[in-house]
Amino acid sequence: MKFNTKAIHGGQHHDPSTGAVMPPVYQTSTFVQTSPGKPLNPDYEYSRAANPTRSALENALASIENGTRGLAFSSGLAATDCLLRSFKSGDEIIAMDDLYGGTYRMFTRIYKDSGIKFHFVDMNDMEKFQSLINENTKLVWVETPTNPLMKLADIQEIAKITKEKKILFAVDNTFATPYLQKPLDLGADVVMHSATKYLGGHSDVIAGALIVKDEALGEQLHFQQFATGATLGPMDSFLVLRGIKTLHLRVQRHCENGEKVVEFLDNHPKIKRVYYPGLPSHPYHEIAKKQMSGFGGMVSFTFASGKKEDAIKFLENLKVFTLAESLGGVESLANHPALMTHASIPEEKRKEIGITDDLVRLSVGIEDAEDLIEDLKQALA
């Protein structure tokens, strides 16, 4: 199947008992057994281990990312946490220097006393990256494009190194989505999604996902998920699965609108710099062209004045864009990373990686592009 067909049919089956086209919401905690230890259906005993609605979503996740197994979690951070539970004191993890604030917070504050050592590096500095690898390195963690500076990492080039060194390689594919980028096909071992964002797509659910190539790793992660309990409920699973069925249509429009918004911002006298991988001026534009089929709907920019006050005033005056955290929904959202999504990153670290106080991040939705541009125009005025 090609992607558009996979998004609707991949890994999916009509309900065997009723013929329902969409999987029912199996709102049950447990399943009947015909004799002790003999469930009526061998796949289902207790919903923390497996639930038919969640299974339908997990099959769809594996299909659209070309993986062997998908796992659905109660949030993107729960998915990340499940993967990190694979490591122990003395292990080392190399991560991208520009990360979602919640990921950075988990790495540096939750796991800081576990004995796991984290290194944060620009993944385009291959010499620096390789210098950090040693016998204790167990995981490389990458976002591409990154949140919020839209940095990219060459997945294929990193995968060559991790395979040679036998290091696990995970990619947060939330911004790109599997419609635009396939990390597993490019050599990664694990893909993570905050399914709250583009996969769900309607700002009505919190969810996360892991998708893997190796079946043994998938089984290990499923055990960790089962044993720690951060599973996705059946109603939320249904909502994400419904969102996936229109993912290709929505992301196509996100890309179209994103490019129009970027063209407007890039030519506006009050804007200093626009961060968008589709711009030829973007430092990693060639990587984006190589590993992505489109450039997405996420855009960040700074002001010519460099003033935090101008960013705040702009955000307060938006009328179509909604000032809120999160991204990837059908509606356009605007965010101030330093005060909102990345406030948990220390100020000196934010400045070091380039998250300035005048930086604004936009999640460009699927409204009429002309209305979005008019809104930006009046807010800038």
Side-chain angles (χ1 to χ4, degrees), residues 14-328:
H14 300 148
D15 181 60
S17 59
T18 65
V21 172
M22 279 296 287
V25 179
Y26 285 91
Q27 199 72 50
T28 183
S29 60
T30 193
F31 302 85
V32 69
Q33 301 195 14
T34 57
S35 183
K38 294 182 179 180
L40 183 64
N41 184 321
D43 293 330
Y44 302 107
E45 298 180 32
Y46 190 62
S47 275
R48 174 159 44 81
N51 175 283
T53 315
R54 190 167 77 246
S55 295
L57 168 61
E58 292 174 336
N59 291 338
L61 291 167
S63 175
I64 60 176
E65 282 285 11
N66 294 337
T68 61
R69 184 157 195 171
L71 297 168
F73 294 82
S74 54
S75 70
L77 286 173
T80 303
D81 181 60
C82 179
L83 181 60
L84 287 190
R85 289 176 184 273
S86 304
F87 308 105
K88 63 183 186 304
S89 179
D91 290 344
E92 298 188 17
I93 294 174
I94 302 173
M96 198 97 169
D97 60 349
D98 181 28
L99 292 175
Y100 164 54
T103 305
Y104 182 85
R105 179 178 57 221
M106 179 185 291
F107 287 1
T108 58
R109 295 177 65 180
I110 300 299
Y111 280 90
K112 69 174 182 177
D113 296 325
S114 69
I116 299 173
K117 186 176 182 179
F118 292 87
H119 304 277
F120 298 94
V121 65
D122 180 349
M123 288 292 178
N124 290 282
D125 186 344
M126 299 303 283
E127 186 177 337
K128 175 68 173 174
F129 164 53
Q130 293 189 71
S131 73
L132 294 170
I133 296 174
N134 59 60
E135 62 182 11
N136 296 319
T137 307
K138 297 296 188 278
L139 174 70
V140 172
W141 178 278
V142 161
E143 280 182 30
T144 182
T146 62
N147 182 1
L149 294 173
M150 310 303 292
K151 291 183 180 179
L152 274 79
D154 191 321
I155 297 172
Q156 276 186 315
E157 289 303 308
I158 295 170
K160 288 177 186 176
I161 297 166
T162 56
K163 284 191 187 325
E164 179 188 341
K165 302 289 186 180
K166 295 181 171 52
I167 300 167
L168 206 63
F169 179 23
V171 175
D172 181 338
N173 202 30
T174 299
F175 269 27
T177 81
Y179 180 69
L180 301 179
Q181 180 172 267
K182 300 283 197 312
L184 297 183
D185 290 354
L186 294 169
D189 301 298
V190 184
V191 168
M192 194 286 289
H193 282 279
S194 173
T196 306
K197 314 304 193 299
Y198 286 105
L199 297 187
H202 294 79
S203 302
D204 57 6
V205 64
I206 301 290
L210 292 177
I211 305 98
V212 301
K213 278 198 299 192
D214 181 71
E215 292 183 12
L217 177 60
E219 191 59 38
Q220 173 194 326
L221 292 172
H222 176 256
F223 172 76
Q224 288 166 195
Q225 180 192 39
F226 164 73
T228 56
T231 54
L232 192 63
M235 188 65 211
D236 290 343
S237 297
F238 177 87
L239 290 172
V240 177
L241 182 59
R242 183 186 66 172
I244 287 174
K245 291 183 183 294
T246 60
L247 178 67
H248 53 299
L249 295 172
R250 289 184 288 102
V251 176
Q252 181 181 338
R253 178 58 66 87
H254 286 298
C255 291
E256 293 168 359
N257 283 356
E259 290 178 5
K260 291 174 183 176
V261 164
V262 165
E263 183 181 5
F264 167 76
L265 291 171
D266 201 39
N267 290 290
H268 198 285
K270 290 188 178 180
I271 303 304
K272 179 180 180 181
R273 182 177 178 184
V274 178
Y275 299 85
Y276 186 69
L279 282 172
S281 59
H282 190 286
Y284 310 119
H285 178 62
E286 292 305 314
I287 296 177
K289 286 200 303 182
K290 183 175 82 166
Q291 68 187 25
M292 298 174 71
S293 59
F295 304 116
M298 296 303 300
V299 183
S300 296
F301 65 91
T302 56
F303 287 79
S305 68
K307 292 181 179 178
K308 176 181 178 180
E309 295 77 17
D310 286 348
I312 292 173
K313 187 176 182 182
F314 164 80
L315 290 165
E316 289 175 343
N317 283 310
L318 290 168
K319 301 186 188 315
V320 179
F321 281 82
T322 300
L323 177 58
E325 296 198 3
S326 199
L327 58 102

